[in-house]
């Protein structure tokens, strides 16, 4: 019944999306950036970066937000169901489309890793699922970093600050809703202890719940003995249920949608006023690629060197590799701006904040001479600060799936079946958008409730401990009432359904390594999935659970042939081989500029010049080598940033994005990245007393 997608009608709906006046003003306030232009703060990258940029602009700081990708105008971004196409492999406009090197532990396959290349960053192309990690994750970070500001109780106000949490109780009359699973609305009081109601990111239950998902939730509870969970971000994370979504009024809700100025969408008059203020102080530039951070090294030099530098001549960075110089004890290069790939150098009076994401923040640090001296030497970059943790500790949720044919045809997919159903939903969606455009109120009901076009394709799932021996939640499930095979349109051309399962806190970790001085050459990625035995064991146990769920009698109505793994794949050895040949990334990479204690950073300033001349700078203390300590995940690579996001060995430079996670979390990462960005903004405000 849920057949062919309403592509035609949806494309027509695209006409209704346009950037609002204030945002357009912010984008076009200056037509070109010139060498020597100055701002208080420069933020690079507009995912987490949008959040930091807005909060600083609210403090009347002149902020420049630079984004390599285009404006987020396309219906492929805004209409939830169509946004599934934004990360298929042939659509390059909004997606960096990273691929790893062939992975020896994964049968030499390259692992595909989409990343947003558009205003809003990956929050403009992601699955919109809004989950935070287990409280244990953040308390553990506080322990790793030796800083209580990272504990769950300290971060909870930031989680709440990001959210406008909507309960849909009043709107539950729409189609497609089955009331078997208690909704957060029914637990509103409990939920509101954990959720904010006045933040910039709209969060709500899914508006379209597929009957197959409802059956999968019931089957999962039966197989595991866990309960339906109405709110994974509430009291308890374990259990199965529907995910909350970043959606509002019929569309995706990304970081760019409310954190960047949008007058018309303000919640109230005070917000409108704030948006005017932000538009005045925040300059947003799309299609602007940064290729390095500019440093002033003068303050870091010994007196003799300072004199030489003042006299002019070749700069100290140019002399790297050739001359021995003395540097001051505790002297650090200070970030003073950025250079755009198009040439101009833009100055930052206060700080540069890198929010270029898990692959490109470490790349930019490397291109600027900050990173592992050996990695930089290999590509001919002079090292200003030897910071060996940059680009290490790449952690991702490895994702393996059980997939069955669905002869009932009741799954998402393109076919002639259900044409009427699809046309109805497409038409209804278009009518609702037109009504919105004409400024007509929604009345009591959300007109998008139960509409197929509001589906993200993965409306439900859950969390559990893979085995009775697990101490913490260590696996997550995603239920797909469709298929997304090979990230190509082929996946939409059949009716299937699937259960995906992934490791919440993987031990196996990889690297991001710069390959040239050119910012447009993508860095090399190595995930090293399933190189640690614990990962293989936990994922194997979880895969068997996923199979039991898929084979539950409640799903008999939908189930056809086992597609993957095939029915004859039964022994542990066969299932392990299946994981190595089919598991993929869940697209949650983190950790490549990980937070930690400075004593774990091994940073050495101006190391490429003459290590012997550096007195007392940095520390040679090795961090813990064991990735797990007493059964707990513990980073085995050096730290890069402080719990206040400051890059060790540098001044006036921070990294604020998913790359700072010290370990992975039980949950999709965007909610946590947004909360961390709110914390970072507060940390910056308190550093500068602004
Ligand atoms: C397909 C997909 C589905 C996902 N689904 C979910 C989900 O459902 N729920 C969830 O919680 N998480 C999900 N994630 C993960 C989540 O969206 C990301 O982890 C998160 O958005 C990353 O935020 P960030 O700020 O760290 O980086 P990003 O949002 O990736 O931002 C980095 C920005 O920097 C820009 N940039 C990079 N280099 C430069 C440069 N040199 N100069 C200027 N700009 C630059 C990039 O273009 C990009 O816009 C998904 C991710 C993907 C790709």
């Amino acid at each position: 019944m849920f057949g062919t997608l309403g592509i035609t009608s949806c494309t027509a709906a695209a006409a209704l999306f346009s950037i609002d006046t204030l945002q357009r003003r912010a984008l076009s306030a200056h037509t070109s950036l010139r060498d020597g232009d100055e701002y208080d703060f420069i933020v690079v990258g507009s995912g987490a970066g949008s959040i930091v940029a807005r909060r600083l602009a609210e403090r009347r700081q002149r902020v420049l937000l630079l984004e390599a990708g285009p404006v987020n105008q396309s219906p492929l971004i805004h209409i939830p169901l169509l946004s599934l196409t934004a990360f298929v492999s042939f659509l390059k406009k909004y997606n960096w489309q990273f691929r790893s090197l062939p992975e020896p532990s994964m049968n030499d396959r390259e692992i595909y890793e989409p990343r947003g290349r558009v205003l809003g960053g990956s929050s403009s192309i992601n699955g919109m699922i809004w989950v935070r990690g287990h409280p244990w994750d953040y308390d553990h970070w506080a322990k790793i970093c030796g800083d209580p500001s990272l504990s769950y109780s300290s971060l909870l106000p930031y989680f709440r600050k990001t959210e406008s949490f909507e309960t849909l109780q009043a709107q539950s009359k729409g189609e497609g809703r089955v009331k078997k699973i208690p909704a957060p609305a029914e637990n509103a009081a409990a939920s509101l202890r954990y959720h904010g109601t006045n933040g910039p990111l709209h969060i709500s239950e899914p508006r379209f719940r597929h009957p197959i998902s409802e059956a999968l939730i019931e089957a999962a509870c039966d197989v595991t003995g866990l309960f339906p969970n109405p709110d994974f971000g509430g009291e308890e994370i374990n259990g199965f249920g529907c995910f909350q979504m970043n959606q509002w009024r019929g569309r995706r809700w990304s970081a760019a949608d409310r954190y960047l100025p949008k007058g018309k969408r303000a919640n109230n008059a005070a917000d409108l006023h704030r948006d005017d203020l932000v538009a005045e102080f925040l300059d947003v530039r799309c299609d602007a690629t940064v290729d390095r951070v500019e440093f002033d090294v003068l303050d870091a030099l010994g007196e003799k060197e300072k004199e030489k530098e003042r006299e002019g001549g070749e700069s100290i960075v140019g002399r790297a590799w050739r001359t021995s110089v003395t540097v001051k004890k505790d002297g650090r290069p200070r970030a003073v701006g950025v250079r755009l790939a198009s040439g101009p150098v833009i100055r930052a009076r206060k700080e540069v904040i890198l929010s270029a994401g898990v692959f490109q923040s470490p790349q930019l640090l490397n291109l600027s001479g900050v990173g592992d001296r050996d990695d930089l030497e290999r590509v001919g970059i002079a090292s200003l600060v030897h910071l060996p943790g940059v680009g290490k500790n790449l952690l991702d949720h490895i994702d393996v799936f059980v997939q069955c044919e669905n002869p009932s045809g009741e799954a998402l997919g393109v076919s002639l079946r259900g044409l009427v159903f699809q046309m109805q939903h497409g038409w209804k969606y278009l009518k609702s958008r037109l009504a919105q455009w004409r400024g007509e109120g929604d009345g009591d009901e959300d007109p998008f409730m139960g509409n197929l076009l509001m589906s993200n394709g993965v409306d439900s799932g859950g969390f559990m401990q893979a085995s009775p021996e697990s101490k913490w939640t260590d696996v997550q499930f995603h239920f797909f009432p469709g298929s997304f095979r090979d990230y190509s349109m082929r996946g939409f051309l059949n009716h299937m359904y699937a259960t995906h399962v992934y490791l919440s806190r993987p031990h196996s970790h990889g690297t991001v390594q710069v390959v040239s001085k050119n910012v447009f050459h993508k860095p090399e990625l190595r995930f090293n999935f399933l190189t640690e035995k614990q990962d293989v064991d936990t994922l194997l146990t979880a895969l068997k659970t996923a199979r039991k769920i898929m084979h539950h009698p409640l799903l008999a109505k939908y189930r056809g042939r086992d597609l993957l793994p095939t029915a004859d794949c039964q022994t542990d050895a066969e299932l392990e081989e299946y994981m190595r040949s089919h598991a993929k990334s869940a697209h949650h990479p983190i950790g490549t500029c990980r937070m930690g204690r400075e004593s774990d950073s091994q940073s050495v300033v101006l190391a490429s010049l003459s290590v012997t001349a550096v007195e007392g700078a940095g520390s040679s203390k090795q961090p813990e080598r064991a990735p797990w300590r007493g059964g707990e995940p513990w980073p085995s690579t050096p730290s890069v940033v402080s719990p206040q996001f400051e890059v060790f060995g540098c001044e006036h430079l921070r990294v604020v994005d998913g790359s700072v996670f010290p370990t992975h979390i039980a949950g999709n990462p965007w909610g946590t990245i947004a909360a961390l960005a709110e914390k970072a903004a507060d940390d910056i405000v308190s550093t500068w007393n602004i």
Side-chain angles (χ1 to χ4, degrees), residues 44-49 66-69 87 95-96 113-131 246 288-291 355-358 360-361 363-364 456 478 519 586-590 656-659 667-673:
V44 182
S46 64
L66 295 165
E67 167 54 51
F87 54 93
N95 182 351
W96 289 95
E113 195 67 88
R115 292 282 94 190
R117 187 186 158 277
V118 57
L119 202 63
S122 299
S123 75
S124 289
I125 67 161
N126 72 10
M128 292 164 277
I129 294 173
W130 182 259
V131 186
N246 286 128
T289 303
V290 169
D291 82 350
S355 300
V358 66
Q360 285 142 305
S361 283
Q363 181 196 23
L364 281 174
N456 71 340
H478 277 185
V519 69
H587 312 317
H588 301 160
I590 52 94
V656 183
D657 56 29
S659 69
N668 311 49
W670 171 233
T672 299
I673 294 170

Side-chain angles (χ1 to χ4, degrees), residues 129-203:
I129 294 173
W130 182 259
V131 186
R132 65 184 69 146
H134 193 290
W136 183 86
D137 287 313
Y138 311 109
D139 292 343
H140 187 55
W141 285 4
K143 202 156 82 179
I144 291 170
C145 300
D147 191 319
S149 70
L150 294 166
S151 68
Y152 181 62
S153 57
S154 304
L155 288 179
L156 185 56
Y158 292 115
F159 280 113
R160 299 182 81 245
K161 188 174 181 182
T162 60
E163 295 180 350
S164 256
F165 179 73
E166 281 177 287
T167 56
L168 299 178
Q169 195 174 40
Q171 305 160 350
S172 63
K173 286 175 253 159
E175 291 174 55
R177 245 181 89 83
V178 181
K179 291 288 286 177
K180 268 180 277 176
I181 309 299
E186 291 155 24
N187 277 329
S191 287
L192 292 180
R193 239 185 299 139
Y194 296 98
H195 294 287
T197 50
N198 206 19
L201 294 178
H202 287 282
I203 320 296

Side-chain angles (χ1 to χ4, degrees), residues 195-242:
H195 294 287
T197 50
N198 206 19
L201 294 178
H202 287 282
I203 320 296
S204 59
E205 298 173 82
R207 283 169 173 77
F208 182 84
R209 288 162 64 153
H210 200 288
I212 297 181
S213 308
E214 303 288 349
L216 280 161
I217 292 170
E218 259 192 272
C221 289
D222 196 43
V223 166
T224 61
L226 292 171
F227 291 99
N229 189 338
D231 181 6
F232 298 118
E235 199 81 43
E236 168 66 52
I237 194 169
N238 281 350
F240 295 88
C242 286

Side-chain angles (χ1 to χ4, degrees), residues 576-588:
E576 181 178 334
E577 174 52 27
Y578 167 69
M579 297 195 304
R580 294 193 188 279
S581 56
H582 285 84
K584 58 182 209 56
S585 160
H587 312 317
H588 301 160

